[in-house]
Amino acid sequence: MTLPKFFETTLAKDECSVCLIDAESESMYLCIECGEVFCLEHALAHNEITAHSVYCTCTVEFTEPSGEQTELSIGTDKGFKTGTREFSYGLIRLPTFEEIEGAEGQAIINTVESCNSFINGQKVDEWKMQKKQCGHLSPLDGMAAAETNNVECCSHPGCDQTTNLWVCLDCGHIGCGRRQGDGSGGNEHAIEHSRTTGHQVVLNAGTLHLAEPDVFCYECDDMCVIPDLPERLEHFGVHSQLKEKSLIERDIKLNQDYSFSAEMEGTQDGIAPAFGPALYGIRNIGNTCFAAVVFQLMLNVGPVVEQICATPTHLMGASYSLAQQMRRVFQGLTSELPSTYRRLPHNTEECIQKGVLLQNLFNVMAVRYPMYAAYEQQDAFEYLMNLLNVLEEDCSVDLSSLEMLCTDGDKVRKQRSILTTYAITEPGSYDLLSLVRTKCDPFTVACPPEFLFVCINRYYYDVEQMKPVKCDVSVNAPPILDFSSFIDQNPAQEYQWAKAAAPSIHPNDEQLMMFAAMGIDADVAINAFIKCNGDMNNAVNYAFDHPSEKYSSGEAGSDLELNNTIRRNIQRTPMYELTGLITHKGGCSTVGHYIAHAIRSVNGESKWALFNDSKVGVISEPPTQQAYVYMYKLRS
């Protein structure tokens, strides 16, 4: 039997493409003819519809990792491990379950076994930072040799830092590194040396024992590759007994080791384990907490969830369809899952569930947004915006429950009810409504949206430190939010859609590609470009500050339909109830760890639930003052 070409690549053999059953719960059935993977129930349905009869069975036995984590990679002998996953295979015909033996059958099994699974076989290159050759080093010829020798201590007078040391590859100077978001690190003498001398490229002395030591360029603000690195090290006589984690390892360790205090989890009174529909944990498969918290909050947006769950199930091409994977995830998270998901067998903490696996969805999202392919930590709020774009554009979901009609006199424009503040650079205590009033673009609403998201932008780029900084901000977010001050109190007799004049300037295809490469939606990019009069740099900053503001031609429907909508939904004193929030711990939004809190129905009562990856439980009060994203629902 000749196997299709997709068997030469990575296979989705870990989880059913239609439901949330995975290979650790029961055998998966991989169709040899089309490459789709199913649990038994859906494999039989697929067989009946397609008459595809040959399936490779795949079962996984999972063992927790042990020992110290070393170089970051997956599925390698000495690499970072998320646990041991032992696969076992067979070959059968459906619906008779006849075993296929012999040389041809074994050849098929061998081929399937040799294909990487999406989890065990993620390419190491996807986990490692994409390194490029840097041109900011002076030529080695004629460079005076420095007596660097053994690297033991920062060479700055009065500094006794003996770890996190960096060697300048232009002169051999030894300086300590930047202070990290968790308070560790050095006193930043390496970067101070760079500012003084203009030398840009440094090597992490603690990684000299690795095959690929860490080399960083301040000008590129990225890891880089230096072809003549061995010669430079020999020239400066550099050698070190330090053995530290690489930057990648350190980033992952920070993500793994973040244990939220009672203050951050909101667990002063402890956690009562919870399990059931909308109370399932989501397994972290490597820096994926930013996505997990967004899905947990979106489960509270009932109109959106209902539409997604109503998507017809297709058994062909489901693994690679955004609409099918969204249906699979939201349908699975809101339905009854087997009790095998309740707790890992070896875990003694009842709140730690096995967690559902969302690998297929992460993969198809990465096709649309390539930055998610590398499994690096990302901004949860940005993921929320991208998820809504996918739901609207790829899944045909009506997002009117997340839209508000903003007025300017008798003119009305539509925008998403997702507010984000400008960067807050002054530490202190703030009132949520005051921040919306003073730190967001001004707006007046004709009728209130059903759901409201508010993102508190605690992060800004410190030019002097040349790095993102998190501002220590405490926010008074009331459980009941009076939104009446944003409602149009002098309504027009008749409203009409604002007609956007044809713009005199418009980004060209190359500029739109530049926006897209930064993850900026085309309509957001066009709007920012027009607002900034064609200044590309200002437009990029504007787009990041106003991610929900899109360019519209004004073709949104008839004015009669608009007025009928406003009359039906008009409410002068709208009150919103806090129903969810995302909390972040870390130096900036793209490192650290995210957790979610959301109102859920537990035994018929509305209670706050904590979602920390696979950890799920009921708590008394969430940490509302520390949240990054707040979610409110209009009270009826």
Side-chain angles (χ1 to χ4, degrees), residues 117-146:
S117 73
F118 273 148
I119 294 183
N120 249 23
Q122 287 292 346
K123 296 178 182 177
V124 175
D125 289 343
E126 290 181 349
W127 280 81
K128 289 195 172 183
M129 295 180 181
Q130 299 299 310
K131 299 179 183 179
K132 59 185 179 181
Q133 192 166 323
C134 174
H136 296 113
L137 265 178
S138 303
L140 190 59
D141 296 340
M143 187 182 296

Side-chain angles (χ1 to χ4, degrees), residues 359-424:
Q359 184 70 50
N360 280 351
L361 178 57
F362 287 128
N363 291 326
V364 292
M365 277 290 285
V367 173
R368 174 73 182 273
Y369 295 101
M371 64 271 208
Y372 301 133
Y375 287 82
E376 296 174 355
Q377 187 65 283
Q378 303 286 342
D379 188 327
F381 180 69
E382 182 183 30
Y383 191 84
L384 170 65
M385 302 300 294
N386 291 336
L387 177 64
L388 294 177
N389 290 339
V390 166
L391 292 177
E392 186 174 50
E393 298 166 14
D394 297 82
C395 307
S396 302
V397 172
D398 177 10
L399 296 180
S400 56
S401 60
L402 287 165
E403 292 175 340
M404 55 187 182
L405 301 177
C406 296
T407 63
D408 182 9
D410 65 344
K411 301 295 190 295
V412 176
R413 59 183 171 83
K414 185 186 296 185
Q415 74 176 55
R416 283 188 182 156
S417 53
I418 299 178
L419 309 174
T420 179
T421 67
Y422 308 136
I424 301 173

Side-chain angles (χ1 to χ4, degrees), residues 235-438:
H235 183 77
F236 292 127
V238 173
H239 56 89
S240 174
Q241 301 300 316
L242 295 174
K243 287 190 177 182
E244 300 174 353
K245 294 183 182 295
S246 68
L247 287 181
I248 306 173
E249 292 168 343
R250 194 175 301 158
D251 182 51
I252 271 292
K253 191 172 190 306
L254 283 173
N255 278 281
Q256 287 187 319
D257 287 354
Y258 272 125
S259 63
F260 277 71
S261 64
E263 177 190 3
M264 295 299 291
E265 282 192 334
T267 57
Q268 294 88 340
D269 298 328
I271 305 176
F275 181 84
L279 290 168
Y280 301 124
I282 297 176
R283 204 181 312 178
N284 192 326
I285 51 177
N287 289 329
T288 55
C289 57
F290 69 91
V293 293
V294 171
F295 284 111
Q296 297 292 8
L297 251 62
M298 285 301 297
L299 289 180
N300 278 13
V301 187
V304 170
V305 175
E306 289 173 11
Q307 292 178 71
I308 299 171
C309 291
T311 303
T313 300
H314 296 296
L315 297 176
M316 292 296 293
S319 296
Y320 310 100
S321 164
L322 273 166
Q324 287 299 306
Q325 288 307 308
M326 290 294 176
R327 176 206 56 75
R328 169 182 170 268
V329 168
F330 281 96
Q331 207 172 70
L333 289 174
T334 54
S335 61
E336 292 284 351
L337 288 181
S339 59
T340 52
Y341 283 83
R342 183 176 292 274
R343 198 175 73 181
L344 290 170
H346 61 274
N347 204 300
T348 57
E349 187 177 348
E350 289 186 322
C351 292
I352 304 295
Q353 301 178 12
K354 173 185 173 182
V356 299
L357 189 59
L358 305 186
Q359 184 70 50
N360 280 351
L361 178 57
F362 287 128
N363 291 326
V364 292
M365 277 290 285
V367 173
R368 174 73 182 273
Y369 295 101
M371 64 271 208
Y372 301 133
Y375 287 82
E376 296 174 355
Q377 187 65 283
Q378 303 286 342
D379 188 327
F381 180 69
E382 182 183 30
Y383 191 84
L384 170 65
M385 302 300 294
N386 291 336
L387 177 64
L388 294 177
N389 290 339
V390 166
L391 292 177
E392 186 174 50
E393 298 166 14
D394 297 82
C395 307
S396 302
V397 172
D398 177 10
L399 296 180
S400 56
S401 60
L402 287 165
E403 292 175 340
M404 55 187 182
L405 301 177
C406 296
T407 63
D408 182 9
D410 65 344
K411 301 295 190 295
V412 176
R413 59 183 171 83
K414 185 186 296 185
Q415 74 176 55
R416 283 188 182 156
S417 53
I418 299 178
L419 309 174
T420 179
T421 67
Y422 308 136
I424 301 173
T425 58
E426 294 294 329
S429 297
Y430 295 86
D431 179 74
L432 182 70
L433 273 178
S434 297
L435 286 175
V436 172
R437 197 173 289 115
T438 61

Side-chain angles (χ1 to χ4, degrees), residues 15-273:
E15 51 186 332
C16 178
S17 59
V18 178
C19 68
L20 291 183
I21 301 296
D22 60 46
E24 293 174 25
S25 301
E26 63 178 67
S27 292
M28 292 292 105
Y29 293 78
L30 170 65
C31 178
I32 297 302
E33 295 184 51
C34 68
E36 291 288 343
V37 181
F38 306 101
C39 63
L40 178 57
E41 176 187 350
H42 293 113
L44 290 170
H46 177 261
N47 163 253
E48 184 176 353
I49 292 172
T50 64
H52 295 173
S53 60
V54 181
Y55 294 78
C56 183
T57 61
C58 173
T59 306
V60 175
E61 184 176 345
F62 178 75
T63 306
E64 277 289 290
S66 60
E68 177 71 10
Q69 309 295 351
T70 57
E71 187 167 343
L72 177 60
S73 56
I74 284 220
T76 58
D77 291 340
K78 297 180 180 179
F80 175 86
K81 297 177 177 63
T82 56
T84 303
R85 295 166 57 83
E86 295 292 336
F87 286 79
S88 57
Y89 301 92
L91 196 67
I92 64 169
R93 293 188 191 277
L94 289 182
T96 63
F97 293 92
E98 171 195 352
E99 292 188 11
I100 302 175
E101 300 177 343
E104 184 178 13
Q106 189 59 48
I108 293 174
I109 291 176
N110 292 343
T111 302
V112 173
E113 187 174 6
S114 66
C115 290
N116 282 330
S117 73
F118 273 148
I119 294 183
N120 249 23
Q122 287 292 346
K123 296 178 182 177
V124 175
D125 289 343
E126 290 181 349
W127 280 81
K128 289 195 172 183
M129 295 180 181
Q130 299 299 310
K131 299 179 183 179
K132 59 185 179 181
Q133 192 166 323
C134 174
H136 296 113
L137 265 178
S138 303
L140 190 59
D141 296 340
M143 187 182 296
E147 294 183 359
T148 302
N149 296 318
N150 190 35
V151 181
E152 295 178 341
C153 183
C154 176
S155 58
H156 188 86
C159 182
D160 58 358
Q161 186 77 22
T162 58
T163 59
N164 193 17
L165 301 179
W166 294 79
V167 180
C168 174
L169 294 181
D170 266 316
C171 67
H173 172 272
I174 305 168
C176 55
R178 296 172 174 172
R179 185 165 299 280
Q180 303 300 314
D182 65 343
S184 64
N187 298 311
E188 312 204 352
H189 291 132
I191 196 169
E192 183 181 311
H193 171 77
S194 173
R195 292 177 185 144
T196 303
T197 62
H199 298 170
Q200 301 295 340
V201 184
V202 290
L203 173 139
N204 182 353
T207 63
L208 279 171
H209 65 288
L210 299 178
E212 294 182 24
D214 278 348
V215 178
F216 188 85
C217 175
Y218 292 120
E219 180 69 25
C220 299
D221 192 26
D222 205 352
M223 303 288 288
C224 59
V225 174
I226 306 300
D228 64 347
L229 181 60
E231 289 81 3
R232 287 180 180 271
L233 296 178
E234 183 177 354
H235 183 77
F236 292 127
V238 173
H239 56 89
S240 174
Q241 301 300 316
L242 295 174
K243 287 190 177 182
E244 300 174 353
K245 294 183 182 295
S246 68
L247 287 181
I248 306 173
E249 292 168 343
R250 194 175 301 158
D251 182 51
I252 271 292
K253 191 172 190 306
L254 283 173
N255 278 281
Q256 287 187 319
D257 287 354
Y258 272 125
S259 63
F260 277 71
S261 64
E263 177 190 3
M264 295 299 291
E265 282 192 334
T267 57
Q268 294 88 340
D269 298 328
I271 305 176

Side-chain angles (χ1 to χ4, degrees), residues 381 418-423 439-441 457 459 520 524 528 538-549:
F381 180 69
I418 299 178
L419 309 174
T420 179
T421 67
Y422 308 136
K439 292 287 188 178
C440 294
D441 288 338
N457 190 356
Y459 312 97
I520 299 173
V524 175
N538 288 338
V540 169
N541 291 326
Y542 189 93
F544 280 125
D545 282 339
H546 307 80
S548 60
E549 192 174 314

Side-chain angles (χ1 to χ4, degrees), residues 475-513:
V475 178
N476 175 28
I480 304 298
L481 185 71
D482 184 349
F483 205 61
S484 56
S485 61
F486 298 95
I487 300 297
D488 187 353
Q489 299 297 334
N490 298 296
Q493 293 297 318
E494 295 290 332
Y495 287 102
Q496 53 185 307
W497 286 111
K499 307 297 181 184
S504 56
I505 54 175
H506 196 282
N508 58 36
D509 290 343
E510 183 179 351
Q511 289 167 325
L512 284 174
M513 288 178 64

